[in-house]
């Protein structure tokens, strides 16, 4: 059962019908956002260090974790958060600075790693300042992203979400908060990245 | 065979053929017009600007009626076409073209409304048509198969009309019948039959999007070379064994040396100890017998005895040369054996090293052979994709004959280099613009000659020559008269797309000639590896005329600011690519300049340095990474990604920017540039033109867009699309590929050549989903590519993103 956000049963009783149903609708929308298929319950996630917090990426979306190449080839008309392109298994993939993409800030780190993530034939390199342990996320314990205000460690998501110019998929990128870390939705993240890289050429 | 392979060329048809086509078209249009009249009384048919006025259709039933009516008409067209084909066994007849186009249209429309069975049946028809064109099935079998498909379409449509849902039974029965006819409809082939295409004339007829016809001669050669490559495994294994043996011997020799080392150390220690003892006895020999003999000798000769040690000098220091005992022979033998063993061990190591070196040389030789053989195999594999130039020449000849008609005697054709092998993709890409060039030039030439001639009959001379040098092919097309600038522009675009170059040569007496240069293969790039702004960039050889090293004099102005080497402007490649420039020009004494292979270029390109020549496999960029001026990427031996640039395209972009008033990008990246000025300065409604031959598709999209507040225009074919574009200046064009009169690619080509609609955004909306079509559309200037059936949200999102002022960042 979802927490009542400090509301007691008595408070519920004091509500008018309209207030009650508004509240119910609000709770229902939250519930729908954190309800996932049964098979996702025990998903493994990789902890990634970002400059302003930690995030979790589903392991099933990550094909490989490798040290980043010495340098990336630049491509014209790309967003500022795109590092460039790199060779991976004989193919050319786009590499983005995940920190810069999510929080707007990015610093080079000696522990930086390149996560090669893939979904639906889209392969993207995600450069992160560091990676931590893998962890099992109990999805039923995951908090909705709307409670972010209470999580200082994840304030980058707020900045990310407030950057409305990046497209309409921002809300979908964050699945929720688990143990103070932001759980990212890899398919939404990758498709958003690809969409913005593609559109950058029209703006260039 | 897809639509790019068989564009509908009206010029190739006789007046009778055109009349038949018009009849087919007339069958379709009145029905649609009648329907339109019923739905929107008072609005003239095909009147784009009023097509959506007062539109208020919200009922799904009405859309269903529209769909069933349209498909019913299409089925009638198919039946008529099949009747014609029973009489006229020609695959290039108008009836066959009409059947093909209608099947494609039904497939797209049915998919859009969600009638999967009907769409699938229509796709089966397209497959059968491809098999017929490729010669994989006989004509009669093909007609029977198509007849069954039309019946299946009809009964499925009937199920929708009668029961309100689509029955799958007809589709299943059809697939069963195809099994009886031995047609593998899912793979698009006939079991047990070879792939068609061992003759040049059928090389362009692809069996499906994923298979290509193969030249059997090249295939046999490829097999032979591949076998040789496999045979190299045995000597390679032997060579490796030799290396292993040599290594073992080397290890054994090393082990012996290790064993000798402590012995020598012990000996040295004992000798030192002995030397110490000798010193204490002041040179007295340890043996009394020897001492007595020596003493007697000294008395007899008056000389003291000198020791003569046989130990090697390296084992005994100088002061120990007097060290010997009474059994000197024993001492000599022991040391000598040790020294010999040591020498032998050293010799063994030397021998093993020598053997190892030889083995390595052998191994390297074998590996080199293998690499060479692999290169041959790769080259042969590329040849599989090649066809002789004669294929194109034949089409050009036919085109000239068609245009000239009974005046063909006045046209003199000269051909050479017909056997030169050229990549199929290249030849296919070149075919349309070359045919256009030849047709327009010959037509103009004959007309001009006719009006000017005064009794004297002058022949129009045309020549097509092909040459191959290394990995490059050069084609010269010349006429004894001027060539239309419009046709040259279209051809120039195409050649640049092929990473090639084009130059115009005027001849005082002989007219004009176009010389096209491009790589023989589009998969392997041979070019200059240059460095610009610290990045490795490959420039194809065919795009560089020469390299020029310019010595910068002290105080000389920046070449970007002044005319350089007689040209108006020199740009750094880094700047042209939109990367930040930095101070790369600061302390350079010599500047490296590339002179592009262009006849009218006003730009020369500066690079930091030319590193060398490279031959690399090109990697196609994923759709989201495609950028104007970047042809592909390549990966060097160190795993670095190199950009393969299309120099003419980059220059063209630069010239377009200059033309727009954006003279030079001095600094900053393209990313940093301010967004383009808003497209719309007033609050007028944005206009979208839907170009699609399907009434249902047009209406359904029109409804969606109208609800979103757009003004909607419609066009039923390519020609009408161009007319509406000229009159209405829409903001965005939703363009189908398969359309009558002029297909989508033709429309794109004309828009691009005319350059009259710089602000127009173009979204392809088609059921053609292959990467080849996408690439071609992008190359022709389309901004986005969507495939049918397209989700409404995606369509709207795409349109919004393209029409929002400044775009989406």
């Amino acid at each position: 059962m979802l927490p009542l956000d400090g509301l007691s049963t008595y408070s519920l009783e004091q509500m008018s019908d309209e207030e009650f149903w508004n509240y119910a609708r609000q709770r229902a929308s939250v519930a729908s956002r954190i309800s996932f298929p049964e098979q996702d319950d025990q998903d493994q996630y990789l902890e990634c260090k970002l400059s302003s917090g930690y995030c979790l990426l589903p392991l099933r979306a990550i094909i490989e974790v490798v040290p980043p190449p010495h340098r990336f080839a630049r491509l014209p008309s790309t967003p500022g958060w795109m590092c460039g392109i790199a060779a991976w298994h004989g193919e050319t993939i786009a590499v983005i600075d995940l920190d810069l993409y999510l929080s707007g800030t990015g610093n080079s780190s000696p522990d930086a790693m390149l996560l090669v993530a893939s979904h639906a034939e889209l392969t993207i390199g995600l450069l992160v300042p560091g990676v931590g342990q893998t962890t099992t996320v109990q999805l039923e314990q995951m908090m909705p992203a709307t409670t972010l205000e209470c999580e200082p460690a994840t304030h980058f998501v707020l900045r990310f979400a407030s950057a409305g110019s990046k497209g309409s998929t921002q809300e979908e990128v964050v699945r929720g908060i688990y143990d103070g870390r932001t759980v990212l939705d890899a398919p939404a993240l990758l498709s958003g990245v690809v969409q913005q890289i593609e559109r950058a050429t029209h703006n260039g | 065979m897809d639509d790019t392979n068989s564009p509908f060329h009206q010029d190739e048809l006789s007046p009778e053929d055109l009349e038949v086509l018009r009849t087919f078209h007339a069958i379709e249009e009145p029905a649609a017009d009648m329907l339109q009249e019923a739905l929107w009384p008072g609005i003239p048919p095909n009147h784009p600007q009023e097509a959506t006025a007062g539109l208020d259709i919200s009922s799904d039933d009405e859309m269903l009626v529209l769909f069933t009516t349209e498909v019913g008409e299409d089925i009638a067209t198919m039946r008529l076409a099949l009747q014609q084909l029973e009489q006229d066994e020609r695959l290039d007849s108008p009836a066959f073209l009409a059947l093909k186009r209608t099947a494609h249209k039904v497939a797209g429309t049915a998919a859009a409304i969600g009638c999967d069975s009907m769409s699938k049946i229509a796709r089966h028809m397209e497959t059968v048509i491809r098999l017929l064109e490729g010669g994989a099935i006989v004509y009669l079998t093909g007609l029977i198969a198509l007849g069954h498909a039309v019946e299946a379409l009809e009964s499925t449509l009937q199920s929708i009309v009668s029961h309100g849902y689509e029955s799958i039974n007809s589709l299943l029965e059809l697939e069963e019948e195809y099994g009886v006819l031995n047609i593998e409809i899912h793979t698009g082939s006939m079991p047990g039959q070879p792939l068609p295409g061992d003759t040049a004339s059928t090389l362009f007829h692809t069996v499906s999007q994923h298979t290509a016809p193969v030249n059997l001669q090249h295939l046999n050669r490829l097999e032979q070379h591949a076998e040789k490559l496999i045979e190299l495994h045995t000597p390679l294994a032997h060579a490796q064994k030799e290396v292993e043996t040599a290594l073992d011997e080397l290890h054994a020799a090393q082990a012996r040396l290790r064993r000798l080392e402590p012995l020598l150390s012990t000996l040295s220690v004992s000798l030192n100890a002995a030397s110490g003892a000798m010193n204490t006895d002041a040179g007295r020999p340890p043996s009394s017998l020897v001492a007595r003999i020596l003493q007697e000798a000294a008395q007899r000769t008056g000389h003291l005895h000198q020791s003569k040690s046989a130990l090697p000098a390296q084992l005994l220091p100088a002061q120990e040369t007097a060290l010997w005992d009474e059994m000197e022979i024993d001492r000599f033998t022991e040391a000598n054996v040790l020294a010999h063993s040591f020498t032998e061990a050293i010799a063994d190591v030397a021998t093993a090293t020598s053997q190892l070196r030889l083995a390595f040389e052998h191994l390297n030789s074998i590996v080199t052979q293998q690499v060479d053989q692999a290169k041959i195999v790769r080259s042969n594999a590329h040849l599989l994709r090649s066809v002789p130039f004669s294929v194109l020449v034949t089409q050009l000849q036919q085109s000239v004959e068609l245009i000239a008609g009974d005046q063909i005697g006045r046209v003199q054709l000269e051909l050479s280099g017909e056997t030169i092998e050229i990549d199929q993709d290249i030849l296919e890409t070149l075919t349309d613009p070359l045919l256009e060039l030849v047709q327009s030039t010959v037509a103009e030439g004959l007309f001009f000659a006719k009006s000017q001639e005064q009794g004297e009959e002058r022949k129009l001379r045309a020549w097509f020559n092909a040459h191959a040098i290394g990995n490059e092919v050069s084609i010269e097309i010349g006429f004894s008269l001027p060539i239309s600038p419009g046709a040259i522009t279209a051809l120039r675009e195409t050649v640049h797309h092929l990473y090639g170059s084009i130059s115009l040569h005027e001849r005082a007496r002989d007219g004009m000639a176009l010389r096209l240069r491009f790589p023989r293969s589009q998969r392997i790039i041979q070019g200059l590896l240059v460095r610009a702004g610290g990045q490795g960039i490959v420039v194809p050889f065919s795009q560089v005329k020469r390299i020029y090293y310019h010595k910068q004099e002290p105080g000389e102005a920046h070449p970007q600011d002044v005319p350089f080497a007689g040209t108006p402007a020199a740009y750094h490649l880094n700047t042209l690519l939109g990367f930040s420039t930095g101070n790369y020009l600061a302390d350079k004494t010599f500047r490296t300049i590339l002179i592009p292979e262009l006849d009218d270029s006003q730009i020369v390109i500066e690079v930091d340095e030319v590193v060398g020549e490279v031959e690399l496999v090109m990697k196609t960029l994923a759709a989201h990474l495609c950028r104007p001026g970047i042809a592909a990427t390549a990966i060097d031996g160190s795993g670095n990604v190199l950009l393969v640039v299309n120099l003419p395209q980059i220059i063209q972009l630069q010239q377009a920017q200059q033309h727009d008033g954006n003279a030079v990008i001095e600094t900053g990246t393209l990313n940093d540039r301010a967004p383009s000025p808003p497209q719309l300065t007033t609050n007028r409604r944005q206009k979208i033109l839907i170009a699609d031959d399907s009434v249902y598709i047009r209406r359904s999209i029109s409804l969606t867009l109208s609800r979103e507040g757009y003004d909607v225009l419609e066009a039923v074919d390519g020609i009408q699309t161009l007319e509406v574009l000229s009159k209405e200046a829409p903001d965005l064009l939703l363009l189908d590929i398969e359309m009558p009169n002029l297909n989508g690619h033709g429309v794109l080509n004309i828009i691009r050549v005319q350059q009259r609609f710089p602000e127009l955004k173009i979204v392809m909306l088609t059921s053609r989903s292959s990467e080849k079509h996408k690439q071609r559309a992008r190359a022709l200037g389309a901004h986005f590519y969507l495939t049918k059936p397209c989700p409404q949200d995606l369509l709207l999102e795409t349109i919004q993103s393209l029409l929002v002022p400044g775009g989406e960042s």
Side-chain angles (χ1 to χ4, degrees):
Chain A
M1 176 143 178
L2 290 165
L4 294 174
D5 283 354
L7 286 174
S8 64
T9 313
Y10 176 75
S11 302
L12 288 176
E13 286 174 356
Q14 298 302 310
M15 285 181 177
S16 66
D17 282 351
E18 188 181 356
E19 285 170 343
F20 174 81
W21 286 113
N22 281 342
Y23 181 72
R25 269 192 288 273
Q26 186 190 339
R27 301 306 301 161
S29 71
V30 170
S32 68
R33 293 185 66 174
I34 59 172
S35 62
F36 300 101
E38 196 67 27
Q39 61 269 24
D40 284 352
D41 285 354
Q42 295 295 321
D43 266 357
Q44 289 284 307
Y45 284 73
L46 179 66
E47 186 184 68
C48 301
K49 184 185 171 189
L50 300 176
S51 59
S52 50
Y54 288 89
C55 71
L56 296 171
L57 272 164
L59 265 185
R60 63 182 169 183
I62 299 171
I63 308 171
E64 208 167 57
V65 180
V66 291
H70 180 60
R71 63 180 303 164
F72 300 101
R74 288 176 297 170
L75 198 65
S77 306
T78 51
W81 37 260
M82 183 170 154
C83 306
I85 50 178
W88 180 75
H89 289 235
E91 295 303 323
T92 306
I93 60 166
V95 177
I96 70 156
D97 184 332
L98 188 63
D99 206 6
L100 198 57
Y101 180 73
L102 292 174
S103 61
T105 56
N107 297 309
S108 60
S109 161
D111 301 325
M113 294 299 279
L114 183 64
L115 315 182
V116 183
S118 177
H119 172 72
E121 298 182 2
L122 295 175
T123 305
I124 298 285
L126 306 173
L127 187 69
V128 293
V131 293
Q133 302 293 315
T134 56
T135 183
T136 304
V137 172
Q138 305 290 338
L139 292 179
E140 67 273 11
Q141 293 176 17
M142 190 161 65
M143 300 297 290
T146 50
T147 61
L148 283 175
E149 293 85 346
C150 315
E151 302 289 344
T154 55
H155 75 271
F156 69 89
V157 179
L158 286 176
R159 295 185 53 172
F160 174 58
S162 65
S165 61
K166 282 186 175 178
S168 59
T169 60
Q170 310 306 319
E171 290 175 5
E172 296 160 12
V173 170
V174 179
R175 293 185 72 177
I177 306 298
Y178 182 79
D179 196 19
R181 295 164 295 182
T182 307
V183 182
L184 298 178
D185 186 312
L189 173 72
L190 298 188
S191 60
V193 165
V194 167
Q195 205 175 14
Q196 289 172 57
I197 291 173
E198 186 167 14
R199 286 179 180 171
T201 193
H202 304 307
N203 302 332
Chain B
M1 187 167 167
D2 59 36
D3 65 314
T4 53
N5 292 337
S6 66
F8 176 57
H9 298 296
Q10 291 194 4
D11 294 340
E12 294 176 1
L13 302 176
S14 67
E16 290 77 12
D17 289 342
L18 290 172
E19 191 56 41
V20 175
L21 265 184
R22 273 195 286 274
T23 309
F24 278 120
H25 193 61
I27 291 169
E28 295 174 40
E29 290 309 312
D33 293 344
M34 283 166 63
L35 192 63
Q36 185 173 344
E37 178 62 28
L39 292 169
W40 299 282
I43 300 174
N46 298 336
H47 202 285
Q49 60 270 43
E50 294 177 15
T52 58
L55 194 65
D56 187 24
I57 301 174
S58 55
S59 163
D60 288 344
D61 288 345
E62 286 186 47
M63 291 306 290
L64 192 62
V65 168
L66 192 62
F67 167 73
T68 52
T69 310
E70 185 177 8
V71 174
E73 297 295 339
D74 289 336
I75 291 172
T77 305
M78 288 177 180
R79 283 208 173 281
L80 195 58
L82 280 173
Q83 284 172 10
Q84 289 280 339
L85 288 172
E86 284 172 13
Q87 312 293 325
D88 183 12
E89 295 187 8
R90 280 171 54 208
L91 292 181
D92 60 344
S93 69
F96 193 78
L97 291 172
L99 183 67
K100 186 177 169 182
R101 187 168 61 75
T102 314
H104 180 77
K105 184 182 162 206
V106 171
T109 312
I113 201 172
C115 292
D116 294 338
S117 292
M118 289 192 76
S119 177
K120 211 166 179 182
I121 293 168
R123 295 258 179 253
H124 287 348
M125 288 185 73
E126 288 190 282
T127 307
V128 172
I129 289 168
R130 277 199 298 273
L131 291 171
L132 264 172
E133 287 174 327
I137 53 176
V138 295
Y139 189 80
L140 190 59
T141 308
L143 280 195
I144 292 169
L146 290 170
H148 285 320
V150 172
E151 283 170 13
L153 272 180
E154 204 159 30
S155 56
T156 308
L157 180 65
Q158 190 59 40
S159 72
I160 295 171
V161 173
S162 308
H163 312 297
Y165 65 88
E166 185 189 35
S167 166
I168 196 173
N169 293 340
S170 301
L171 172 65
L172 296 176
E173 285 169 12
L174 179 69
E175 289 180 347
E176 207 171 300
E177 282 163 2
Y178 281 176
V180 174
L181 289 171
N182 216 18
I183 299 174
E184 290 282 347
I185 202 70
H186 296 294
T187 58
S189 68
M190 291 286 281
Q193 285 205 0
L195 285 175
D198 56 346
T199 59
S201 61
T202 57
L203 277 169
F204 281 119
H205 294 188
T206 49
V207 174
S208 78
Q209 290 177 346
H210 302 290
T211 59
V214 172
N215 184 315
L216 289 177
Q217 194 183 353
H218 292 319
L219 184 62
N220 292 336
R221 210 179 298 161
L222 177 64
E223 283 175 350
Q224 287 168 7
H225 288 308
E227 281 168 8
K228 281 184 185 173
L229 194 60
I230 294 164
E231 284 167 5
L232 278 176
H233 276 291
T234 309
L236 193 63
H238 278 303
Q240 284 172 330
K241 192 74 183 170
E242 284 173 16
V243 173
E244 281 175 15
T245 308
L247 278 172
D248 288 343
E249 286 176 4
L250 191 62
H251 286 152
Q254 282 174 340
R256 288 183 64 193
L257 281 175
R258 282 199 201 96
R259 282 197 301 274
L260 284 174
E261 193 179 18
L263 289 174
L264 284 173
S265 300
T266 308
L267 182 62
S268 177
V269 169
S270 64
L271 285 175
N272 285 336
S275 172
M278 290 279 286
N279 289 338
T280 55
D281 289 342
R284 188 169 60 88
S287 165
S288 58
L289 175 62
V290 174
R292 196 171 61 246
I293 294 168
L294 287 174
Q295 193 177 4
E296 286 174 0
Q299 288 170 355
R300 195 169 53 246
T301 60
H303 293 288
L304 280 173
H305 172 75
Q306 297 294 318
S307 173
K308 44 173 184 172
S309 173
L311 283 173
Q314 67 269 32
L315 293 179
L316 295 174
Q319 66 268 26
E320 292 174 1
T321 50
L323 190 63
W324 55 287
D325 63 8
E326 68 276 20
M327 300 302 289
E328 192 175 10
I329 184 74
D330 295 337
R331 180 72 173 272
F332 174 83
T333 305
E334 185 184 336
N336 198 29
V337 168
L338 191 60
H340 268 291
S341 297
F342 193 73
T343 310
E344 281 174 13
I346 292 171
D348 286 348
V349 172
T351 308
T353 307
S354 172
Q355 284 176 343
L356 188 60
R357 194 176 294 117
L358 282 173
F360 262 122
E361 282 172 9
H362 190 201
L363 182 65
N364 285 339
S365 163
I366 299 291
V367 169
T368 307
Q369 282 182 46
Q370 193 178 28
V371 170
D372 290 344
Q373 196 63 35
K375 281 183 179 174
I376 293 171
V377 171
R378 187 186 64 186
S379 171
N380 291 159
H382 290 152
L383 283 174
L384 285 175
R385 291 285 314 161
S386 70
V387 286
F389 180 57
S390 59
V391 174
L392 177 60
V393 168
T394 307
Q395 293 193 48
L396 292 174
Q397 276 179 308
Q398 288 171 350
S399 176
V400 170
E401 286 164 9
L402 193 72
I403 291 293
D406 54 1
Q407 297 183 66
I408 189 64
R410 299 178 58 189
V411 182
Q412 181 187 343
L413 282 179
E414 295 169 13
L415 313 168
S416 70
E418 294 102 312
T419 55
I420 299 293
E421 302 268 2
I422 303 175
D423 190 292
Q424 275 188 52
D425 290 340
I426 294 177
L427 227 47
E428 278 189 54
T429 311
L430 279 175
T431 300
D432 282 348
L434 273 181
L435 285 173
E436 191 183 322
L437 173 94
V438 169
Q439 286 171 358
S440 60
T441 309
V442 171
E444 281 178 28
L446 289 172
F447 175 78
F448 181 76
K450 198 171 185 178
S451 58
Q452 295 291 317
E453 71 185 18
Q454 297 167 344
E456 180 191 0
E457 186 168 312
R458 286 163 52 192
K459 277 204 170 185
L460 168 62
R461 195 170 144 253
W463 62 93
F464 310 127
N465 303 329
H467 305 277
I469 307 161
N471 194 43
E472 282 191 6
V473 173
S474 166
I475 295 177
E476 185 176 294
I477 296 162
F479 299 94
S480 58
L481 48 91
I483 303 172
S484 155
I488 296 175
T489 307
L491 188 59
R492 179 176 285 121
E493 294 273 330
T494 307
V495 173
H496 292 172
H497 179 59
L498 296 170
Y499 323 128
S501 62
I502 181 170
S503 53
L504 186 64
H505 301 267
E506 280 192 61
R507 295 182 178 180
R509 292 182 178 179
D510 282 348
M512 298 173 91
L514 283 171
R515 201 166 296 150
L516 285 55
R517 268 181 72 193
F518 43 84
R520 195 194 285 258
S521 165
Q522 297 288 287
R523 291 162 183 79
I524 304 291
I525 185 74
Q526 285 188 326
L528 286 177
L529 174 60
V530 302
R531 201 160 293 287
Q535 180 148 329
I537 293 169
V538 180
V539 184
F541 282 140
S542 53
Q543 296 176 357
V544 181
K545 192 181 284 177
R546 63 191 174 96
I547 306 168
Y548 182 79
Y549 294 97
H550 173 69
K551 188 178 181 185
Q552 181 81 5
E553 299 298 336
E556 186 180 338
H558 189 297
Q560 196 164 297
D561 302 328
V562 295
F564 180 81
T567 62
Y571 292 92
H572 198 280
L573 183 56
N574 215 28
T575 312
L576 291 176
L577 288 173
F579 298 139
S580 56
T581 52
N583 292 321
Y584 56 84
L585 295 169
D587 299 317
K588 291 195 70 177
T589 308
F590 281 94
R591 301 200 186 285
T592 310
I593 308 290
L594 305 183
I595 314 290
E597 177 71 67
L598 295 168
D599 56 296
D600 59 348
S601 171
Q602 297 297 300
I603 291 177
V604 294
I605 313 290
E606 179 173 9
V607 296
D608 289 347
E609 61 170 332
V610 173
V611 181
E613 300 177 3
V614 287
E615 182 181 354
L616 296 165
V617 177
M618 285 204 286
K619 304 281 179 185
T620 309
L621 282 163
H624 60 280
L625 296 177
C626 287
R627 294 293 185 275
I630 307 298
T633 57
I635 300 170
D636 69 9
S638 307
N640 298 314
V641 175
L642 309 171
L643 296 182
V644 180
V645 294
N646 190 330
L647 220 46
Q649 201 173 38
I650 291 174
I651 291 169
Q652 205 172 17
L653 286 171
Q654 179 65 30
Q655 286 173 333
Q657 282 178 356
Q658 282 180 322
H659 187 260
D660 292 344
N662 304 326
V664 177
I665 311 165
E666 285 291 347
T667 55
T669 66
L670 287 181
N671 311 333
D672 301 332
R673 271 197 275 162
S676 52
Q679 207 175 342
L680 300 172
T681 51
T682 62
N683 289 329
R684 74 169 175 83
R685 281 158 65 99
Q686 290 166 315
K687 273 191 256 182
I688 297 176
L689 170 59
I690 306 166
D692 200 306
D693 59 338
S694 164
V695 182
Y696 172 79
I697 297 277
R698 289 201 309 272
R699 283 284 173 259
S700 61
I701 296 175
S702 175
L703 269 174
T704 304
L705 296 181
S706 299
R707 286 196 197 107
E708 293 296 317
Y710 295 105
D711 280 343
V712 184
L713 313 169
E714 293 182 28
V716 298
D717 60 27
I719 297 296
Q720 194 179 31
T721 303
L722 293 172
E723 287 171 5
V724 178
L725 280 175
S726 302
K727 288 178 189 168
E728 298 294 328
D731 301 294
L732 187 139
L733 168 63
L734 278 175
L735 183 61
D736 189 17
I737 290 181
E738 279 285 356
M739 289 191 296
N741 293 331
L742 182 69
N743 70 19
H745 287 148
V747 172
L748 278 178
N749 214 2
I750 290 172
I751 290 173
R752 188 187 51 161
V753 169
Q754 289 187 344
Q755 297 182 343
R756 285 174 52 203
F757 316 103
E759 301 297 324
L760 179 68
K761 305 289 182 189
I762 305 171
V763 177
M764 302 305 293
L765 182 60
T766 169
S767 50
R768 298 288 183 202
S769 59
S770 72
E771 194 56 34
K772 181 179 162 186
H773 284 96
K774 290 178 185 174
Q775 283 179 0
R776 185 168 182 200
R778 268 194 208 97
L780 290 172
H783 295 90
F784 228 89
Y785 198 100
L786 298 172
T787 48
K788 296 179 195 169
C790 175
Q792 190 174 309
D793 291 347
L794 179 61
L795 176 67
L796 289 174
E797 193 182 323
T798 305
I799 291 173
Q800 282 160 9
S801 70
L802 288 172
L803 290 182
V804 166
E808 59 297 325
S809 57

